[in-house]
Amino acid sequence: MLYVMAAFTLVGMGYVGWLWYQSRQAEFIRYPEFRIPIPAGYEIHGIDISHHQGRIAWTAVKAMQVQDIQLSFAFMKATEGITRTDPFFKRNWQRSKEAGLIRGAYHFYLVNRDAAKQANNFVRTVNLERGDLPPVLDVEQTGGRSSATIRKGVGEWLRLVEAHYGIKPIIYTNADFYTQHLKGHFDDYPLWVAHYLQPHQPRIKRDWQFWQHSEKGRVNGIYTHVDFNVFNGSKEQFAALLVP
């Protein structure tokens, strides 16, 4: 009798395990046209780009739809450090809006450069309009600096840019950098996390708004790989995040 009960228990455990495996697999749906699996359960999808993607045919990007997936937003690199601007930014900024995508601009932060001058580089380059995404600070390199030094500069950039535009910037970083240097700080700012090969969501213990889940996507109108993102919320919550 004990052997029979044990056998039934093992079968039951196996069935539960199979259901668990199936549920895990259901979290991603592979779309051959995008050439990547895309996490299910998210309403709003987008990409982020820079000069590395070259000249983009934005109307083709917006027109591409595969089943229920159509891109709604695009973050694009605007500036880096104190003086650098992305050579394709002005074109991307204008053409993406004309194509009907919601646009966002980001600054690539260099921790060994003056934070105030970096903020000035961004605000003199980017003119945000109603319906745009908030400004983004991309911080992902230490430059050999301590966590405290990194946080001090990040805080200054965020404060100055928020004062200029009147809206809280988004912080972009990867999951490891966040855990090592930013965790427990800046929790009142929206967060955009890069974390690849995760089945459900980025492994991070705080609220987040955007998840960069792949760097290998393909989209009509772009002739290189491109980063794919999802927004963690409803259409109404997404609209509430935009510049009023």
Side-chain angles (χ1 to χ4, degrees):
M1 187 65 174
L2 289 175
Y3 289 110
V4 174
M5 292 177 64
F8 274 112
T9 299
L10 289 173
V11 169
M13 290 175 63
Y15 180 69
V16 170
W18 180 82
L19 288 177
W20 177 85
Y21 175 79
Q22 290 296 104
S23 69
R24 297 279 288 191
Q25 295 302 302
E27 292 299 321
F28 264 91
I29 301 173
R30 185 165 188 85
Y31 295 83
E33 296 86 348
F34 294 124
R35 301 191 189 178
I36 57 170
I38 293 179
Y42 295 94
E43 291 186 77
I44 301 172
H45 301 260
I47 57 174
D48 62 275
I49 57 92
S50 70
H51 63 277
H52 294 295
Q53 276 67 46
R55 292 175 68 88
I56 295 173
W58 285 103
T59 53
V61 173
K62 178 60 177 176
M64 186 175 184
Q65 181 166 353
V66 181
Q67 298 180 42
D68 59 337
I69 304 295
Q70 185 175 28
L71 300 176
S72 299
F73 66 88
F75 287 110
M76 56 203 69
K77 184 177 181 180
T79 52
E80 177 178 341
I82 293 173
T83 59
R84 299 177 192 171
T85 58
D86 189 289
F88 282 91
F89 173 69
K90 288 185 178 180
R91 183 182 191 277
N92 288 330
W93 191 243
Q94 178 182 346
R95 299 290 178 85
S96 60
K97 184 172 184 177
E98 291 173 351
L101 283 155
I102 295 171
R103 61 190 183 174
Y106 72 85
H107 174 81
F108 190 85
Y109 185 74
L110 302 179
V111 298
N112 56 355
R113 297 290 186 269
D114 183 87
K117 291 179 179 178
Q118 293 192 68
N120 185 55
N121 185 21
F122 184 84
V123 301
R124 70 170 179 252
T125 302
V126 181
N127 179 33
L128 291 180
E129 298 177 359
R130 183 177 183 181
D132 291 335
L133 285 155
V136 178
L137 179 65
D138 176 347
V139 53
E140 52 186 287
Q141 298 179 352
T142 67
R145 302 303 197 265
S146 68
S147 296
T149 299
I150 293 168
R151 289 194 295 267
K152 181 179 178 182
V154 165
E156 185 173 10
W157 192 97
L158 294 172
R159 178 180 59 80
L160 292 171
V161 171
E162 182 177 355
H164 178 82
Y165 294 110
I167 190 169
K168 281 191 175 299
I170 297 167
I171 298 173
Y172 167 89
T173 192
N174 62 69
D176 289 339
F177 190 96
Y178 171 83
T179 300
Q180 294 174 24
H181 305 290
L182 304 179
K183 184 178 180 180
H185 303 267
F186 314 114
D187 287 351
D188 54 338
Y189 286 88
L191 183 63
W192 172 17
V193 185
H195 204 185
Y196 308 139
L197 304 176
Q198 300 303 305
H200 301 284
Q201 62 183 42
R203 293 180 184 173
I204 195 165
K205 294 182 178 179
R206 65 149 282 188
D207 292 338
W208 53 271
Q209 282 64 44
F210 294 93
W211 171 23
Q212 186 185 85
H213 58 83
S214 177
E215 60 181 343
K216 298 294 185 181
R218 298 305 294 262
V219 182
N220 292 346
I222 301 178
Y223 302 103
T224 66
H225 288 112
V226 65
D227 299 334
F228 265 60
N229 304 271
V230 292
F231 174 71
N232 186 28
S234 66
K235 292 179 180 178
E236 293 75 18
Q237 290 170 318
F238 183 76
L241 185 67
L242 304 179
V243 175

